[in-house]
Each structure stands twice: as C-alpha cells, then as structure tokens.
Amino acid sequence: MSSSGDGDRLAGVVERVVRFGIAFGATRAAYGRLRSRPPGNPASWERTNHAGRTVHTQAGAAAAGGAVLTALPSVPAALATTAGAVCGRYDDLRGDERRGFRAHLTALRGGEVTSGAVKLFGIGAAGLAAGALLKERPLDKVLAGVVVAGTAHLVNLVDVRPGRAALLVLGLGAPGLLRGSLAAAPMGAAAAVLGDDLAERTMLGDMGAHALGASLGTAVAAANGRFGLAVHAAGLVAAAAYGERVSEFAREGARPCAHPCE
C-alpha cells in the first residue's frame, strides 16, 4: 500500500512538472513567433503606456495559447480559457474608458453593447458551462461557474502594473498544485512571459489576463468541493464589487505603469 501510494504521488509530481514545462515551452515558442510575425495589422498588437512608450501585447496571446494547449484534454479548462482569450481580445481592440459592471450594464440598458458587456456575458456564460462540466450537483455547478468567471475578472483587475497579473497567477496557482495538475497550465504560461512583462517590453492585456484567469479559475473549481467553492466564490464576488480598490491596491508601490490603468 505504501509503495503504491508513493508511486501515485511521484506520478502526480511528474505530471505537474511536465504540464508546467509544456505550458512554458509552448508559450515561449508562440511568443517568439507572434513577435516576429504578428497576425493581421501589427498596429492592433500595440498599446501606448502612460509614459508614451509603445509596447506590444503578443505576450497575452502567447500565454492564452500555451494555457489552452496544456489544459487539454480538460474540456472545461480549454473552453473557459478560450472564451477568456476571445472576449479579452475583443476588448483589447474595441474597449473604451468605461470601467466597472455598472457602467457597462447602464450602457446596455440604453441599447449599447460595450466591449465590457461582451466580456461580462461571454466569460460568464463560458464559466457556467465549464462549471456544469466540472460538477454534478446544480449548486456546485453554479458556484464553480462563479469561481471560473470571477478569477478571470480578478486577474484582469490587477493587470495595472508590470507583472502584477502573472505574479498573481503564480501565487494563487501554487497551492492548487498540491491538489491537481490543472493549475500548472496557467502557471507555466504566466512564468514564460513574466520577465518581459516586468521589463515593460510587453503586457498581457485583456486577452492574456482573462485567459490566464479563466484557466486558473477552472483549476481552483476542479480542486474544491462545495465549501471551498463557496468560500472562493464569496471572495471573488467581493473583489468584483470593490474592483477599483483592488486595482488601486495593485498599483501601490509599483514602478511607473507600463499598462493602461484598467
């Protein structure tokens, strides 16, 4: 029994290391490719930081791709991560200065579909779909969906300074490695672009932040039962309600901002 248990633990460790390595390698490869040959209009991958310097957002696309690839064959993780990437990219291209759920819902009541509303409903729906695939009981499905979508939103909230979002993914994902290997996918992808993010050569943007957050949220949801889901969901709802304070906290004590403050 002891020998079998030790073997299972070793296999689990190996699986986590391999998954992290695949995510890291795939993200680095995609990042290099995207930097040399950005798809579509190269200008669509550029953003101006607060100091007036131009930085690129290919790191976000590379991290999203690395996380999706490594999440397979987990359909819930791949679904949520892809939805986060697609909705985030749309916001990178079409986003405006309005922030917060209230502003976007107010615009929606007036007949205007903002990029923030697309993110809210798109990532929310994908989160609920992922939760439905992960859990069996109705309440657990809903809680898991809140965790997936809420984590995607949280990671984007802190993406207001270089490296903040990637470091949050690494910090929150580390405990999850003790309970499963899904967290290794967003962690490996985040680690792969962290150096360039901190050096202010690139940024994750909404595409990368939402994708990594959704991937991490799926890992958290998969590893927790009802009590853990409820605790995480409550914390994430609170973070969303006080989003501006969360972003402000992430800004404090940082170097000059390389990201548009979101």
Side-chain angles (χ1 to χ4, degrees):
M1 290 289 292
S2 177
S3 177
S4 175
D6 290 343
D8 290 342
R9 283 192 291 272
L10 178 59
V13 171
V14 171
E15 181 182 0
R16 292 161 175 76
V17 172
V18 169
R19 193 180 285 261
F20 184 98
I22 292 173
F24 187 96
T27 301
R28 289 302 304 178
Y31 182 47
R33 179 73 175 180
L34 288 168
R35 285 195 65 182
S36 61
R37 295 184 179 180
N41 180 5
S44 70
W45 296 96
E46 297 177 346
R47 294 175 76 174
T48 303
N49 66 21
H50 84 298
R53 295 192 302 269
T54 298
V55 296
H56 60 79
T57 60
Q58 283 95 317
V68 170
L69 175 66
T70 315
L72 295 171
S74 171
V75 174
L79 170 65
T81 307
T82 300
V86 171
C87 293
R89 178 60 179 164
Y90 181 80
D91 195 44
D92 281 335
L93 295 173
R94 307 293 183 186
D96 54 36
E97 296 303 316
R98 282 170 288 193
R99 296 290 180 264
F101 292 151
R102 182 178 300 177
H104 295 296
L105 292 176
T106 298
L108 190 62
R109 284 197 296 269
E112 180 186 3
V113 180
T114 65
S115 60
V118 170
K119 288 195 305 180
L120 174 62
F121 291 107
I123 297 175
L128 290 173
L133 293 171
L134 286 170
K135 303 299 180 181
E136 295 183 358
R137 297 182 178 181
L139 179 57
D140 295 341
K141 293 175 185 289
V142 173
L143 289 172
V146 172
V147 168
V148 174
T151 308
H153 181 58
L154 174 63
V155 173
N156 189 58
L157 280 177
V158 304
D159 189 32
V160 292
R161 290 294 189 271
R164 289 296 194 266
L167 288 170
L168 180 67
V169 170
L170 291 170
L172 294 182
L177 289 179
L178 300 175
R179 306 181 66 180
S181 62
L182 278 179
M187 289 179 68
V193 296
L194 177 59
D196 278 21
D197 195 354
L198 287 171
E200 303 183 41
R201 289 188 290 268
T202 187
M203 65 173 69
L204 289 175
D206 285 270
M207 182 179 190
H210 281 298
L212 290 179
S215 182
L216 177 62
T218 307
V220 172
N224 279 276
R226 179 169 297 175
F227 178 76
L229 289 172
V231 171
H232 281 91
L236 290 164
V237 169
Y242 294 94
E244 285 300 321
R245 294 187 183 181
V246 172
S247 294
E248 185 60 33
F249 179 78
R251 292 186 185 101
E252 292 178 358
R255 292 180 297 167
C257 179
H259 299 241
C261 294
E262 299 179 316

